[in-house]
Amino acid sequence: MRMALVCTGSMKIPREKSVAAIDSWEESFFSSEFTHAAGVRKHTRHPRGTLAMWESIQGKKRFRSDTW
């Protein structure tokens, strides 16, 4: 069996680690904020990275997706 890794972002990890706590884990996971996909090294084709991509399209009504 392979171990899978997940970036927890801002997730508040529940104390209980059992099947009975699945609802708590789901709530915490989906209520958190994430900045990237785990295991992905390059998230955009923008030459200066993800933050620069978002800054370059901020406030624009339209943008070219082929520049990501």
Side-chain angles (χ1 to χ4, degrees), residues 42-50 53 64-68:
K42 188 166 182 174
H43 307 285
T44 178
R45 290 185 302 229
H46 194 284
R48 292 189 334 261
T50 304
M53 178 201 65
R64 290 178 38 198
S65 63
D66 63 331
T67 61
W68 294 5

Side-chain angles (χ1 to χ4, degrees), residues 3 7 14 16 18 21-22 34 46 48 56 60 63-64 68:
M3 291 293 292
C7 174
E16 187 176 348
S18 70
I22 287 176
F34 295 88
H46 194 284
R48 292 189 334 261
S56 72
K60 293 184 179 178
F63 54 89
R64 290 178 38 198
W68 294 5

Side-chain angles (χ1 to χ4, degrees), residues 18-60:
S18 70
V19 174
I22 287 176
D23 289 340
S24 298
W25 279 87
E26 286 180 352
E27 176 66 27
S28 185
F29 181 83
F30 290 111
S31 296
S32 64
E33 299 170 357
F34 295 88
T35 59
H36 64 277
V40 176
R41 294 181 189 259
K42 188 166 182 174
H43 307 285
T44 178
R45 290 185 302 229
H46 194 284
R48 292 189 334 261
T50 304
L51 180 59
M53 178 201 65
W54 287 115
E55 289 174 340
S56 72
I57 63 175
Q58 183 178 8
K60 293 184 179 178

